[in-house]
Amino acid sequence: MILLIALGPYVLVWSIIVALSLVFIKRALYKAVVIVVFSVGIWLFLFWDTIPARMEFNKLCEKDAGIHIYKTIEIGSGYFDNGVLDYDRLKEENMYAYESRRTSINTKYNISKLHNSLLIDGEVYLEIFVYSYKGGWFFNRFIPKGEDCPNDWARKNYLTMIFKEKNND
Protein backbone atom coordinates (compact mmCIF):
# COMPACT_ATOMS: atom_id res chain seq x y z
CA MET A 1 0.00 0.00 0.00
CA ILE A 2 2.80 2.41 0.93
CA LEU A 3 4.55 1.58 -2.33
CA LEU A 4 1.42 2.50 -4.32
CA ILE A 5 1.14 5.81 -2.46
CA ALA A 6 4.81 6.55 -3.08
CA LEU A 7 4.67 5.68 -6.76
CA GLY A 8 1.33 7.42 -7.33
CA PRO A 9 2.66 10.90 -8.23
CA TYR A 10 5.28 9.43 -10.57
CA VAL A 11 2.75 7.23 -12.34
CA LEU A 12 0.38 10.20 -12.65
CA VAL A 13 3.07 12.44 -14.21
CA TRP A 14 4.16 9.61 -16.51
CA SER A 15 0.54 9.04 -17.61
CA ILE A 16 0.04 12.73 -18.35
CA ILE A 17 3.22 12.92 -20.43
CA VAL A 18 2.26 9.79 -22.36
CA ALA A 19 -1.29 11.10 -22.98
CA LEU A 20 0.00 14.49 -24.14
CA SER A 21 2.53 12.89 -26.44
CA LEU A 22 -0.17 10.69 -27.98
CA VAL A 23 -2.38 13.75 -28.62
CA PHE A 24 0.15 16.35 -29.78
CA ILE A 25 2.88 14.36 -31.48
CA LYS A 26 1.87 13.20 -34.95
CA ARG A 27 4.55 10.68 -35.90
CA ALA A 28 4.55 7.27 -34.19
CA LEU A 29 8.33 7.17 -33.95
CA TYR A 30 8.46 10.47 -32.06
CA LYS A 31 5.71 9.28 -29.72
CA ALA A 32 7.66 6.13 -28.96
CA VAL A 33 10.88 8.07 -28.38
CA VAL A 34 9.18 10.51 -25.97
CA ILE A 35 7.56 7.66 -24.02
CA VAL A 36 10.78 5.63 -23.77
CA VAL A 37 12.96 8.62 -22.83
CA PHE A 38 10.52 9.83 -20.21
CA SER A 39 10.05 6.31 -18.80
CA VAL A 40 13.81 5.84 -18.45
CA GLY A 41 14.08 9.30 -16.88
CA ILE A 42 11.46 8.47 -14.24
CA TRP A 43 13.18 5.15 -13.49
CA LEU A 44 16.58 6.82 -13.15
CA PHE A 45 15.12 9.50 -10.89
CA LEU A 46 13.65 6.88 -8.54
CA PHE A 47 16.42 4.32 -8.50
CA TRP A 48 19.61 6.22 -9.45
CA ASP A 49 21.52 5.02 -6.39
CA THR A 50 20.58 1.33 -6.45
CA ILE A 51 23.32 0.12 -8.80
CA PRO A 52 26.31 1.94 -7.21
CA ALA A 53 25.02 1.14 -3.71
CA ARG A 54 24.66 -2.54 -4.52
CA MET A 55 28.17 -2.58 -6.04
CA GLU A 56 29.69 -1.01 -2.92
CA PHE A 57 27.74 -3.35 -0.61
CA ASN A 58 28.90 -6.42 -2.56
CA LYS A 59 32.51 -5.19 -2.53
CA LEU A 60 32.42 -4.72 1.26
CA CYS A 61 30.83 -8.14 1.73
CA GLU A 62 33.53 -9.84 -0.32
CA LYS A 63 36.31 -7.91 1.41
CA ASP A 64 35.85 -8.76 5.09
CA ALA A 65 32.29 -9.72 6.04
CA GLY A 66 31.95 -12.90 8.02
CA ILE A 67 33.17 -14.70 11.09
CA HIS A 68 36.88 -14.63 11.86
CA ILE A 69 38.11 -17.09 14.51
CA TYR A 70 41.63 -16.31 15.67
CA LYS A 71 41.98 -18.76 18.57
CA THR A 72 40.13 -21.45 20.43
CA ILE A 73 40.50 -22.36 24.07
CA GLU A 74 40.28 -25.74 25.74
CA ILE A 75 38.40 -25.80 29.03
CA GLY A 76 37.68 -28.56 31.53
CA SER A 77 34.81 -30.99 31.24
CA GLY A 78 33.10 -29.23 34.18
CA TYR A 79 31.91 -26.61 31.68
CA PHE A 80 30.13 -29.26 29.64
CA ASP A 81 27.03 -31.27 30.40
CA ASN A 82 26.99 -34.45 28.31
CA GLY A 83 29.17 -32.76 25.70
CA VAL A 84 27.01 -29.61 25.58
CA LEU A 85 28.60 -26.33 26.61
CA ASP A 86 27.15 -24.86 29.85
CA TYR A 87 26.58 -21.23 28.81
CA ASP A 88 25.25 -20.19 32.22
CA ARG A 89 28.43 -21.30 34.01
CA LEU A 90 30.63 -19.50 31.46
CA LYS A 91 28.61 -16.34 32.01
CA GLU A 92 28.61 -16.65 35.81
CA GLU A 93 32.38 -17.03 35.90
CA ASN A 94 32.96 -14.15 33.45
CA MET A 95 34.91 -16.39 31.11
CA TYR A 96 34.44 -14.02 28.19
CA ALA A 97 33.45 -10.49 27.26
CA TYR A 98 31.42 -9.37 24.30
CA GLU A 99 31.77 -6.05 22.50
CA SER A 100 29.54 -4.73 19.76
CA ARG A 101 29.48 -1.50 17.78
CA ARG A 102 27.65 -0.32 14.67
CA THR A 103 29.11 2.33 12.39
CA SER A 104 27.72 3.97 9.30
CA ILE A 105 29.92 3.22 6.29
CA ASN A 106 28.05 5.20 3.66
CA THR A 107 25.07 7.35 4.62
CA LYS A 108 24.22 8.16 1.00
CA TYR A 109 23.70 4.48 0.22
CA ASN A 110 22.44 3.42 3.71
CA ILE A 111 25.26 0.93 4.34
CA SER A 112 26.39 0.20 7.89
CA LYS A 113 28.82 -2.17 9.57
CA LEU A 114 28.28 -4.20 12.73
CA HIS A 115 31.50 -5.28 14.45
CA ASN A 116 31.18 -7.86 17.22
CA SER A 117 34.13 -9.18 19.20
CA LEU A 118 34.43 -12.00 21.71
CA LEU A 119 37.27 -11.41 24.15
CA ILE A 120 38.91 -13.65 26.71
CA ASP A 121 41.28 -11.94 29.16
CA GLY A 122 41.28 -8.86 26.94
CA GLU A 123 42.43 -10.79 23.87
CA VAL A 124 40.24 -11.07 20.77
CA TYR A 125 39.35 -14.67 19.97
CA LEU A 126 36.56 -14.09 17.47
CA GLU A 127 35.32 -11.19 15.37
CA ILE A 128 32.17 -10.89 13.32
CA PHE A 129 31.79 -8.25 10.60
CA VAL A 130 28.26 -7.80 9.30
CA TYR A 131 27.36 -5.26 6.62
CA SER A 132 23.78 -4.04 6.26
CA TYR A 133 22.25 -2.43 3.19
CA LYS A 134 18.89 -0.72 3.58
CA GLY A 135 18.37 0.24 -0.05
CA GLY A 136 18.59 3.53 -1.90
CA TRP A 137 16.61 6.62 -1.01
CA PHE A 138 13.37 5.27 -2.51
CA PHE A 139 13.46 1.77 -1.03
CA ASN A 140 14.75 2.97 2.34
CA ARG A 141 11.78 5.31 2.76
CA PHE A 142 8.95 3.22 1.38
CA ILE A 143 10.07 -0.40 1.76
CA PRO A 144 12.12 -0.40 4.98
CA LYS A 145 13.67 -3.81 4.68
CA GLY A 146 17.29 -4.51 4.19
CA GLU A 147 19.90 -7.13 3.60
CA ASP A 148 22.82 -8.35 5.69
CA CYS A 149 25.95 -10.18 4.72
CA PRO A 150 26.60 -12.72 5.92
CA ASN A 151 22.86 -13.25 6.24
CA ASP A 152 23.03 -16.19 8.66
CA TRP A 153 25.37 -14.62 11.23
CA ALA A 154 22.73 -14.27 13.99
CA ARG A 155 21.82 -17.98 13.97
CA LYS A 156 25.28 -19.27 14.79
CA ASN A 157 26.52 -20.26 18.23
CA TYR A 158 29.88 -18.56 18.54
CA LEU A 159 30.76 -19.83 22.00
CA THR A 160 30.92 -23.42 20.75
CA MET A 161 33.37 -22.26 18.08
CA ILE A 162 35.74 -20.88 20.72
CA PHE A 163 35.37 -23.09 23.81
CA LYS A 164 36.40 -26.69 23.23
CA GLU A 165 36.33 -29.55 25.75
CA LYS A 166 39.79 -30.54 26.97
CA ASN A 167 40.67 -34.18 26.35
CA ASN A 168 41.75 -35.98 29.50
CA ASP A 169 43.93 -38.55 27.76
Side-chain angles (χ1 to χ4, degrees), residues 16-95:
I16 291 169
I17 296 293
V18 168
L20 290 174
S21 67
L22 292 175
V23 170
F24 292 112
I25 299 176
K26 303 294 184 215
R27 296 183 67 181
L29 178 63
Y30 293 157
K31 289 179 186 183
V33 168
V34 167
I35 291 170
V36 167
V37 167
F38 194 74
S39 299
V40 169
I42 288 270
W43 184 86
L44 288 174
F45 179 74
L46 289 174
F47 308 112
W48 65 270
D49 57 351
T50 302
I51 293 171
R54 176 62 62 181
M55 288 172 57
E56 181 165 341
F57 176 70
N58 290 340
K59 182 182 77 172
L60 290 168
C61 290
E62 290 174 9
K63 187 175 103 179
D64 70 342
I67 303 161
H68 305 279
I69 299 172
Y70 303 116
K71 286 178 146 182
T72 60
I73 187 169
E74 289 187 347
I75 55 177
S77 59
Y79 291 97
F80 292 86
D81 183 21
N82 292 328
V84 177
L85 191 59
D86 185 355
Y87 305 110
D88 295 331
R89 183 164 179 211
L90 285 174
K91 193 173 184 179
E92 287 172 8
E93 296 186 15
N94 294 322
M95 292 285 289

Side-chain angles (χ1 to χ4, degrees), residues 2 6 49 108 110 134-144:
I2 293 174
D49 57 351
K108 182 167 79 174
N110 300 303
K134 302 300 181 198
W137 78 270
F138 182 82
F139 286 116
N140 189 39
R141 282 160 184 74
F142 302 111
I143 309 170

Side-chain angles (χ1 to χ4, degrees), residues 2-21:
I2 293 174
L3 181 62
L4 292 175
I5 293 169
L7 284 177
Y10 298 105
V11 171
L12 179 65
V13 169
W14 181 82
S15 301
I16 291 169
I17 296 293
V18 168
L20 290 174
S21 67

Side-chain angles (χ1 to χ4, degrees), residues 151-165:
N151 57 8
D152 63 343
W153 70 274
R155 292 187 291 278
K156 298 201 186 263
N157 188 336
Y158 305 108
L159 294 177
T160 59
M161 295 177 182
I162 300 299
F163 293 103
K164 305 292 182 186
E165 189 170 8

